[in-house]
Amino acid sequence: MGSGRWSTDVYQAGERYRAATGGSAFAYSDSGARTVHPRLDPRQARLRESRDSVEHPRSTAIAVLFDVTGSMGHVPRTLQTKLPDLFELLVRKGYATDPQLMFGAIGDATCDRVPLQVGQFESDNRMDDDLGRIVLEGGGGGQRTESYELAMYFMARHTDIDCFRRRGRRGYLFIIGDEMAYPEVSPAEVSRVIGDRLPGPIRTESIVAELQQSYDVYYILPAGTNYAGDRQILGYWRRLLGQNVIELDDLDAVCETIALTVGLGERAISLDQGLGDLDEVGSGAGFVVGRALSRVVRL
Amino acid sequence: MDARHTVVVDLGYGDAGKGTVVDWLCANEPVFAVVRFNGGAQAAHNVVASDGRHHTFSQFGSGSFRPGVRTHLSRFMVVDPVLLAMEERHLAALGVPTWERLTVDERALLATPWHRAANRLRETRRGGERHGSCGVGVGEVMAFSLAHPDAPRVGDVRDPARLRRVFQLVREELSTELGGLGYDVPVEDVATAYEDFGRTVSIVDGAYGAELLAAGPCVFEGAQGVLLDEWRGWHPYTTWSTTTFDNAMTLLDEAGEQARRLGVVRAYTTRHGPGPMVTEDAHLTAALPDAYNTDGRWQGGFRVGHFDAVAHRYAVEVCGGVDALAVTHLDVAARTPGLRMCPGYETGERIALGEFGDLAYQEKLTAQLFTAAPVLDGHPSADAIAAALDAPVFLESWGPTAEDKRVRG
């Protein structure tokens, strides 16, 4: 019955798919999808968890949410190509124990079809798959606001992370964007996008305060975006997040910036040590990262 | 015919040339995607590019040689990730972009190697009473899903625990039923390969269909042929699939879209495998071998006959009519003077429709057709076929490539 050949088919098929997975980043979006992928749908997510396990007994939750509208559309593509570098630093250099990464995307709930996409916390290359499923909205209205407050609401109320729950260590949330949040979390948008019923609007300052109980929240404003260096937008985020606002001259350095920020936050390195590590792993981002983080480092 | 989308359906027993018609549409009209809406990996749609590249399309849409044309496997498809990977390897070798242009509905049924093994085992045991199965297990998948509401579906590849559970179920049920499958790849290994499939292809939800149809004109590519339809064909020599326009129309209705219905016929009638074929002629079978349809190990012989206007007219009728026809192999008909039209059988010019779903009636038709005698008259041409089926011919095909096609004014 030729079962030998069939079983070979199964293994060859698996190999074929594995060979393809590395190369087909953003297959979902590039194939024309314009609705949120089921795996990234906040309505279906309910709770995103970062859990300790036998393999990863001391998990560190790290979430990266980026604006996918307008000029920010290339951010996830850059992230995807730099992902191996980020893991290299986090794991091999011991910046954080058992890092678990989650990716998400932020759009505009007032006009976009896909205002919020949230992946899972993953400790292996499955996070790569989540990146590949993000719909790159691309549009964006240029009204200087995106629904960051909606994303922060999701992170505050729909994630559960063991590093905080079991060990009292806050996780890390990086928001990469170039605009401001809306002043309030809208109950109608929360109902439509996430599925919760809210008795009334929540001020963005309040949801940030709630979020900061379990996460260190950073805002990264990269160069080459619409409002890079914009005083109003920088000022807005500094009022919300204090010194945790990072101006980055080169988007290509975003993974190194995240890695070093985590390393500094975990007190695993000093900034000089971190920059030395970047040189050692052959990253040319040291200068840019050093400049970006010099304002962030707690003295 | 100003409808935005097109549904392409074979009005015979399959093998009329849907693939080459779909390829032509994708080359000559602004087609956004090809949507598969029935059957599974048993489809074998041959397309020859003008530069000589040839591919037998099975799960990928037959428009894939055309730049930018995507493939969507709708929820009516039976998806076989193992055979999909084999097909992809060949397409990729021809320089055709594959994974990035493919979307799969999470609700589509999944074929597994156990279904395939059961299919082959069952067909072997039928001995001389074979149904003409292709041996890839599509019918097994359909049968299993009717008996088991939790049969594996594409979306399950994202849920490792559930995937293993349903695979175990398939394996155990089919093994028990058949007293072993002669196939023993571990569930875990198949699950792993299918999870890799899930990481590679874009699995989409039910909302995607409407988005796709809104994004641009689509061609719905049918598989098999109407005379093999599970409800309207010559039972039991049928395929376990709805081969009429119905599934495509359901998808179009859900999106509030419309389509022209294009019926494809060869200028002579062919059939792969057993079952009634009134106009079969052994001399024609010997004289008109098919380049791509040779005798299949599981399917049986490739048979050729005169143009069976009675059977094709019946196909048009069970489809609820067609807007136009595409007639293929006119070049072969032109150089084969012995080919005839069959406008009627000795018993009459029409096969009467039964009640939908009345398989006892279909079986009665089968018995009648086995003994029916054809009346042969005239030579098949595009005009003769248009008149016999009472539908305009939109496209004539005079050879294997898109360049060999002609639009009739």
Side-chain angles (χ1 to χ4, degrees), chain A residues 26-43:
Chain A
F26 309 104
Y28 182 66
S29 189
D30 292 346
S31 71
R34 290 293 175 268
T35 50
V36 63
H37 192 284
R39 289 244 288 222
L40 305 182
D41 188 347
R43 276 170 306 189

Side-chain angles (χ1 to χ4, degrees), chain B residues 87-166:
Chain B
E87 186 183 359
E88 190 273 345
R89 184 190 296 267
H90 186 249
L91 273 177
L94 295 178
V96 175
T98 52
W99 302 129
E100 60 267 43
R101 297 197 310 197
L102 180 71
T103 47
V104 186
D105 191 304
E106 62 182 355
R107 297 164 298 176
L109 287 165
L110 265 186
T112 71
W114 302 290
H115 292 110
R116 211 175 345 152
N119 175 204
R120 293 176 181 214
L121 197 55
R122 238 188 268 277
E123 193 74 349
T124 301
R125 288 180 185 169
R126 284 188 191 117
E129 302 297 307
R130 285 190 179 181
H131 292 177
S133 167
C134 294
V136 301
V138 171
E140 288 289 340
V141 173
M142 299 300 287
F144 190 89
S145 74
L146 292 177
H148 302 86
D150 56 347
R153 290 181 188 272
V154 167
D156 294 336
V157 304
R158 298 179 305 217
D159 182 342
R162 177 173 157 74
L163 188 67
R164 282 157 182 78
R165 199 166 62 241
V166 291

Side-chain angles (χ1 to χ4, degrees), chain A residues 1-4 6, chain B residues 117 121 175 179-184:
Chain A
M1 287 285 291
S3 61
W6 297 352
Chain B
L121 197 55
S175 298
L181 293 174
Y183 177 80
D184 53 7

